[in-house]
């Protein structure tokens, strides 16, 4: 078999056989296929797509490219969630402690930022001392003792996805339905969870820009998971605006803690409670409505926040930062972005907001870039809000003042202000079961 022929076949719209897909992923994993051929096939898949059968084969090949985790030593039902990626999406930091505080085990493996989107591992590393790498024994022990652990993917876990993820990030091939489905479900199936809730984002800040495409991706991933014996649900949630008001790593951890204190932004709180409710429901705790009420209670009585503190302490992080987020190191400089028009914010390009945060140092342009954890954006106005000319719509934070003008320009260009009040969009579009 030759990689050249596989690329040509997909380029010309052909359907790859199971053997060809296994050959490709085998070569990605053992390093025998060079990056330029991997990237070329990703681009061909981007343009030509894949059938459901090809996508399933790709998912299973990614799953089998490394070690499969065995969680049988974890007592109790295990539930996980995974987001397709968004801007200001700090839901894992809120949802996982809620669910764990209600007795469902959460053994969570998370990713880093990808493209314009943030990643849970980067956010957790904003907490001083927090170890995102644990041995399998440490990970399992913590899940048994505390009920929750969140780590990055180890080198042995779905290594083909690690390679593909990094190459897709720099070759404009992230937003491809089969590549996203295989990436997410390949990892989810290599882990050993009973229940999985997917948060499929839709809109300008997500990789799927329309509700129809997001619904198609959700259906595909739910079916792949169910065929592999998992209990699955996908929520389709709005990413036409950032979730919450904070974008950037430590700013997002602070907002997640506020949400666990019951003082979070409404949109973030609602999405988190719904995700937690469906995780608990899949895990057998009752109907989604009953489980959403349980999740609310876990915030009100402080048990979810306590669970996050226990988790942070168990992973070597400074739990004082969670008890008092004012102690997080702040960026040296801030800058107010002011509206040049008056009216209502009708729409925002959420991807551009994510890129503005990246430009302030909150994300990476290359895999080697270091992150500035304190950099980012706090939104003072969101879609639907009235603004006056000269009114502050966002505050930028950075440790280098020279970064402000370009980020401010990007943010203003991405904010549409008009005379009329925009139509309200749903926060949760659909539940795919
Ligand atoms: N999250 C993933 O894990 N993979 C993707 O391809 C996109 C989002």
């Amino acid at each position: 078999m030759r990689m050249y022929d596989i690329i040509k076949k997909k380029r010309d719209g052909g359907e790859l056989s199971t053997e060809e897909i296994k050959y490709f992923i085998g070569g990605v994993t053992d390093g025998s296929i060079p990056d330029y051929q991997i990237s070329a096939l990703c681009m061909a898949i981007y343009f030509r797509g894949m059938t459901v059968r090809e996508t399933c084969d790709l998912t299973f090949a990614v799953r089998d490219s490394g070690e499969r985790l065995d969680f049988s030593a974890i007592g109790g039902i295990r539930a996980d969630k995974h987001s397709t990626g968004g801007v200001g999406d700090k839901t894992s930091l809120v949802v996982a402690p809620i669910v764990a505080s209600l007795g469902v085990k959460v053994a969570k493996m998370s990713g880093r930022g990808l493209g314009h989107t943030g990643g849970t591992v980067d956010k957790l590393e904003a907490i001083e001392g927090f170890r995102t790498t644990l041995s399998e024994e440490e990970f399992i022990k913590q899940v048994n003792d505390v009920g929750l652990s969140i780590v990055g993917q180890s080198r042995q876990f779905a290594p083909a996805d690690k390679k593909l993820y990094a190459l897709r990030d720099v070759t404009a091939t992230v937003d491809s339905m089969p590549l996203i489905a295989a990436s997410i479900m390949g990892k989810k199936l290599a882990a050993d969870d009973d229940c999985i809730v997917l948060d499929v984002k839709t809109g300008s800040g997500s990789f799927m820009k329309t509700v129809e495409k997001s619904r198609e991706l959700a259906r595909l991933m739910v079916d792949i998971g169910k065929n592999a014996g998992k209990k699955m649900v996908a929520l389709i949630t709005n990413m036409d605006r950032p979730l919450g008001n904070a974008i950037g790593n430590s700013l997002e951890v602070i907002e997640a803690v506020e949400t666990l204190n019951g003082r979070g932004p409404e949109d973030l709180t609602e999405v988190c409670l719904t995700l937690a409710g469906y995780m608990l429901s899949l895990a057998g705790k009752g109907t989604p409505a009953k489980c959403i009420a349980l999740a609310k209670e876990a915030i009100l009585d402080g048990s979810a926040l306590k669970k996050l503190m226990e988790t942070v302490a168990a992973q070597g992080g400074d739990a004082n930062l969670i008890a008092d987020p004012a102690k997080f190191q702040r960026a040296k400089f801030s800058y107010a972005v002011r509206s040049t028009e008056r009216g209502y914010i009708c729409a925002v390009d959420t991807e551009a907001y994510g890129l503005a945060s990246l430009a302030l140092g909150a994300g990476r342009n290359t895999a080697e870039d270091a992150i500035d954890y304190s950099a980012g954006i706090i939104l003072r106005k969101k879609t639907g809000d009235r603004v006056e000319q000269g009114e502050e719509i966002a505050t930028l934070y950075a440790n280098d003042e020279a970064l402000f003008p370009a980020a401010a320009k990007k943010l203003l260009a991405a904010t549409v202000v008009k005379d009329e009040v925009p139509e309200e969009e749903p926060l949760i579009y659909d539940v795919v079961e």
Side-chain angles (χ1 to χ4, degrees):
M1 217 174 276
R2 287 196 321 156
M3 193 55 199
Y4 177 93
D5 300 320
I6 295 176
I7 296 169
K8 187 163 178 290
K9 185 173 179 186
K10 185 44 78 184
R11 183 200 70 184
D12 296 340
E15 183 173 347
L16 301 182
S17 67
T18 304
E19 288 64 39
E20 285 166 331
I21 289 170
K22 279 189 179 164
Y23 174 85
F24 167 56
I25 291 299
V28 170
T29 310
D30 67 19
S32 60
I33 300 177
D35 289 0
Y36 50 84
Q37 285 188 316
I38 300 172
S39 304
L41 184 60
C42 286
M43 191 57 87
I45 293 170
Y46 178 91
F47 280 114
R48 291 297 191 171
M50 279 185 143
T51 63
V52 173
R53 202 266 314 142
E54 284 177 295
T55 309
C56 285
D57 283 344
L58 188 62
T59 305
F60 298 145
V62 168
R63 174 196 66 189
D64 298 336
S65 65
E67 281 174 9
R68 299 208 22 204
L69 296 179
D70 175 6
F71 289 167
S72 56
I74 296 175
I77 305 270
R78 305 168 300 264
D80 195 7
K81 74 159 274 279
H82 196 98
S83 158
T84 55
V87 178
D89 179 8
K90 66 283 289 174
T91 52
S92 289
L93 302 177
V94 180
V95 171
I98 292 176
V99 171
S101 75
L102 288 158
V104 173
K105 297 285 173 20
V106 184
K108 183 144 190 51
M109 239 169 297
S110 291
R112 295 192 180 276
L114 180 66
H116 63 280
T117 69
T120 303
V121 168
D122 293 331
K123 297 182 220 277
L124 286 169
E125 287 177 354
I127 304 169
E128 217 177 303
F130 193 98
R131 291 167 60 214
T132 54
T133 307
L134 300 181
S135 70
E136 199 172 329
E137 294 72 40
E138 285 176 309
F139 181 55
I140 287 178
K141 181 172 184 321
Q142 186 175 318
V143 177
N144 273 327
D145 293 349
V146 178
L148 167 63
S149 179
I150 310 181
V151 294
Q153 287 169 60
S154 76
R155 223 184 287 262
Q156 301 83 11
F157 181 77
D161 179 61
K162 220 168 198 182
K163 178 86 200 178
L164 287 172
Y165 202 87
L167 283 177
R168 286 166 59 215
D169 197 18
V170 290
T171 57
T173 51
V174 171
D175 45 346
S176 147
M177 197 172 307
L179 293 179
I180 294 176
S183 165
I184 292 179
M185 291 312 295
K187 285 179 294 214
K188 293 295 108 180
L189 299 184
D192 195 9
D193 290 297
D194 307 298
C195 319
I196 302 167
V197 174
L198 300 170
D199 182 6
V200 178
K201 303 287 185 193
T202 192
S204 63
S206 72
F207 295 125
M208 293 290 115
K209 306 290 185 203
T210 66
V211 180
E212 290 67 38
K213 286 275 168 214
S214 303
R215 205 174 265 127
E216 211 181 308
L217 175 63
R219 183 79 268 155
L220 180 62
M221 293 196 290
V222 165
D223 287 347
I224 293 172
K226 279 191 165 173
N227 281 333
K230 306 288 180 188
K231 289 187 183 168
M232 301 285 308
V233 167
L235 303 187
I236 304 197
T237 66
N238 191 322
M239 195 31 77
D240 257 331
R241 66 196 71 175
L243 191 58
N245 302 323
I247 310 170
N249 298 287
S250 55
L251 295 173
E252 291 194 39
V253 177
I254 294 167
E255 190 169 74
V257 172
E258 281 297 289
T259 305
L260 287 170
N261 270 308
R263 299 187 292 261
E266 255 175 56
D267 59 348
L268 175 63
T269 305
E270 186 180 334
V271 171
C272 288
L273 289 173
T274 312
L275 287 167
Y278 275 93
M279 277 172 83
L280 292 162
S281 181
L282 283 187
K285 296 279 180 187
T287 62
K290 179 186 165 206
C291 291
I292 289 170
L294 289 175
K296 264 187 204 158
E297 195 50 41
I299 290 185
L300 284 177
D301 68 13
S303 51
L305 181 67
K306 189 160 159 263
K307 188 56 68 186
L308 180 63
M309 292 212 277
E310 279 171 34
T311 306
V312 167
Q315 286 186 235
D318 183 355
N320 290 321
L321 292 172
I322 307 300
D324 181 6
K327 291 191 173 138
F328 266 97
Q329 192 167 7
R330 299 294 173 136
K332 269 196 244 151
F333 305 107
S334 65
Y335 178 98
V337 182
R338 299 187 184 279
S339 177
T340 52
E341 289 151 288
R342 69 189 292 243
Y344 294 91
I345 298 187
C346 275
V348 300
D349 176 347
T350 310
E351 179 170 341
Y353 274 43
L355 291 173
S357 174
L358 210 107
L360 293 168
R364 299 179 188 80
N365 287 310
T366 71
E368 290 74 36
D369 283 355
I371 280 190
D372 180 349
Y373 293 110
S374 59
I377 304 171
I378 296 287
L379 302 174
R380 308 293 174 191
K381 298 282 177 184
K382 288 183 70 176
T383 307
D385 287 345
R386 167 118 203 131
V387 285
E388 299 303 323
Q389 203 175 18
E391 199 178 354
E392 184 172 358
I393 58 168
T395 312
L396 311 183
Y397 295 91
N399 285 302
D400 178 357
E401 281 181 293
L403 301 175
F404 287 140
K409 195 169 163 208
K410 201 181 263 300
L411 206 92
L412 278 175
T415 309
V416 182
V417 177
K418 285 194 182 157
D419 267 343
E420 73 262 30
V421 187
E423 235 174 76
E424 220 174 293
E425 287 176 348
L427 189 56
I428 297 170
Y429 282 93
D430 207 351
V431 179
V432 177
E433 305 198 49

